[in-house]
Amino acid sequence: MRLALALTCLAAPVLADGCPTAPDHSEEMDPLYEALLAAPDETTARLITNRMWGYWDNAPDEASQAMLDEAMRARARYDFLRALDRLDTLVGYCPFYAEGYNQRAFVNFLREDFAAALPDLDRALELNPRHIGALSGKAVTLFALGREEEAQVALRAALAINPWLAERALLKPLPGEDL
């Protein structure tokens, strides 16, 4: 009992203080965004995007990184309820960390709860407008919800950043537009 109380007291200041600001990786990311636009093929673009994920997955502190990592391990095991629990905790603790919302949206997408995924994608994009995963995720979520025209707009936004996305196969002309 005393140990549990001591551990609770030790953990309380971390949660009470809140999550620190997410690391600013603009200097590292800007050349990667430029490289995506110049990428000669899908394989090269995928390698660049993989490097970007290394920055997006870089949580603000040790506690938030542990939550994110645990959620992603749970997702990989198809333990979506555990993943959602960890991601709910993460976004509560770090409400300004885009990847927490993006990952929670992805878990909800995998659960086919598309309506739950969409607000998290929107929040991730408010925090990081060039997050390719959230942009393409929003497009496929809108497709799944039957909102074709909005999906096409979101897809175009994603392709403007990474023209090599696999989702480009879903591109169709908007009314009055030629491709």
Side-chain angles (χ1 to χ4, degrees), residues 156-169:
R156 280 164 176 70
L159 291 170
I161 296 171
N162 181 358
W164 294 103
L165 289 171
E167 291 86 356
R168 70 185 182 278

Side-chain angles (χ1 to χ4, degrees), residues 82-163:
R82 179 66 179 157
L84 285 175
D85 174 69
R86 299 312 316 153
L87 293 165
D88 288 344
T89 302
L90 175 59
V91 300
Y93 175 61
C94 293
F96 301 107
Y97 176 50
E99 195 56 31
Y101 295 97
N102 185 57
Q103 289 299 321
R104 188 168 68 177
F106 185 45
V107 170
N108 278 317
F109 182 87
L110 293 172
R111 295 176 64 231
E112 298 184 8
D113 189 351
F114 308 119
L118 199 53
D120 278 341
L121 291 165
D122 287 337
R123 180 65 178 141
L125 290 167
E126 283 175 28
L127 295 168
N128 183 354
R130 297 191 302 174
H131 193 303
I132 300 162
L135 280 167
S136 61
K138 183 174 181 174
V140 296
T141 299
L142 288 166
F143 280 121
L145 289 168
R147 294 163 58 178
E148 176 82 23
E149 194 168 321
E150 291 172 85
Q152 290 293 330
V153 171
L155 180 57
R156 280 164 176 70
L159 291 170
I161 296 171
N162 181 358

Side-chain angles (χ1 to χ4, degrees), residues 27-101:
E27 281 188 40
E28 298 90 352
M29 293 288 281
D30 287 343
L32 295 175
Y33 284 112
E34 290 173 24
L36 272 178
L37 292 175
D41 54 45
E42 187 173 353
T43 302
T44 303
R46 190 175 305 120
L47 293 171
I48 296 165
T49 304
N50 288 343
R51 289 180 56 201
M52 294 173 132
W53 280 107
Y55 293 111
W56 291 326
D57 291 346
N58 185 8
D61 66 5
E62 229 177 274
S64 57
Q65 190 68 57
M67 291 176 219
L68 178 65
D69 293 345
E70 187 178 348
M72 293 173 82
R73 284 191 302 271
R75 184 194 71 214
R77 293 188 311 269
Y78 301 96
D79 185 353
F80 297 142
L81 294 179
R82 179 66 179 157
L84 285 175
D85 174 69
R86 299 312 316 153
L87 293 165
D88 288 344
T89 302
L90 175 59
V91 300
Y93 175 61
C94 293
F96 301 107
Y97 176 50
E99 195 56 31
Y101 295 97

